[in-house]
Amino acid sequence: MSTSITETTHHPAVKSEARSKAFSFDNLIEKLSTLDRAPTLEEINGWMLEVRIDAADIHPHLGFKAATYARHRVFRNDYAELLLLC
């Protein structure tokens, strides 16, 4: 099983307006770190549509297990947790 990622896939239904509001993976973590309450599902969905993640962003968190998946914590506070599933 390969652990390398060669390209980033973007959701084809994302409109150009949403793409113009795009922000980085680090910006997402910063946004989560400043939360003072649990985010709504609508907020989370909007962030996931806007964030642009490349292979370098997730490389430090990659790790695979044979015959199962692995969860790797990227960020956690009292209001949110960001996991990378491999």
Side-chain angles (χ1 to χ4, degrees), residues 14 23 28 43-53 82:
V14 176
F23 57 93
L28 174 61
E43 288 172 318
I44 295 168
N45 188 51
W47 298 337
M48 294 302 103
L49 289 172
E50 295 171 7
V51 68
R52 296 296 171 244
I53 302 170
L82 180 61

Side-chain angles (χ1 to χ4, degrees), residues 32 34-40 43 47 77-80:
L32 294 173
T34 62
L35 289 172
D36 59 0
R37 60 174 173 72
T40 66
E43 288 172 318
W47 298 337
N77 67 12
D78 291 340
Y79 306 108

